[in-house]
Amino acid sequence: MKIVDLHDPTRVNRIPNESVILFSTEDFVQDSFIVSKVELRLYVEKIDPKLGAYSLITSFVETDKGSIEMIYDEGFRGEKPLSRTAQFLTSNLGISGLILRSIISLREKIK
C-alpha cells in the first residue's frame, strides 16, 4: 500500500528532481513496523526570477506494511535545499522523529 499524505497528491505525481536516501536497512523495527528505507525527495514546482526555485521537500518512508510520502518542507529555500535538509536531519537526530511521525500516519491510514 502506498499512501501520499498531501492535500494535493498530484504535486508528487512525477519523478522527483532529486532524492537522497537517509536510511536503508532491513532490520529496523519501530512499533511493529519494519522500516526499510527513509528518503527525502525534492520537487521543484516553479522558478521565480527574484526568489529562485520553489521547492517541495517530502519524506518517503517504506515499511513492511506500506509506504508513505508526506510534506517535510516547502518554499523558496535557496541553493541546495535537499542537501541542507538532509544534513540538518542527520545531525540533529531528526530521522527518528520523522520515522515515528510517518509510522503514526501510516497506522492511521491503514485502519
Side-chain angles (χ1 to χ4, degrees), residues 3-29:
I3 297 168
V4 177
D5 191 15
L6 280 87
H7 178 68
D8 181 5
T10 62
R11 294 175 74 188
V12 296
N13 205 11
R14 60 187 170 98
I15 296 172
N17 297 84
E18 271 184 75
S19 65
V20 62
I21 295 174
L22 302 176
F23 178 86
S24 180
T25 187
E26 292 297 324
D27 59 356
F28 180 80
V29 179

Side-chain angles (χ1 to χ4, degrees), residues 2-109:
K2 181 179 179 191
I3 297 168
V4 177
D5 191 15
L6 280 87
H7 178 68
D8 181 5
T10 62
R11 294 175 74 188
V12 296
N13 205 11
R14 60 187 170 98
I15 296 172
N17 297 84
E18 271 184 75
S19 65
V20 62
I21 295 174
L22 302 176
F23 178 86
S24 180
T25 187
E26 292 297 324
D27 59 356
F28 180 80
V29 179
Q30 174 72 45
D31 297 337
S32 76
F33 285 74
I34 300 171
V35 179
S36 57
K37 181 166 63 170
V38 177
E39 179 179 357
L40 289 179
R41 296 176 174 177
L42 169 68
Y43 300 90
V44 176
E45 294 192 313
K46 62 183 172 182
I47 298 177
D48 182 273
K50 292 182 181 177
L51 300 173
Y54 187 90
S55 301
L56 170 64
I57 298 174
T58 64
S59 61
F60 176 79
V61 175
E62 189 173 282
T63 75
D64 62 322
K65 296 176 183 165
S67 63
I68 186 162
E69 187 169 9
M70 306 182 325
I71 291 178
Y72 182 77
D73 194 14
E74 69 178 302
F76 295 101
R77 298 291 180 240
E79 296 294 315
K80 301 181 181 178
L82 191 62
S83 61
R84 286 196 334 253
T85 301
Q87 182 179 6
F88 175 79
L89 276 172
T90 55
S91 63
N92 292 297
L93 300 174
I95 296 175
S96 61
L98 181 65
I99 291 171
L100 186 57
R101 183 177 138 220
S102 298
I103 296 292
I104 291 168
S105 293
L106 190 56
R107 182 180 288 126
E108 289 298 314
K109 303 287 183 187

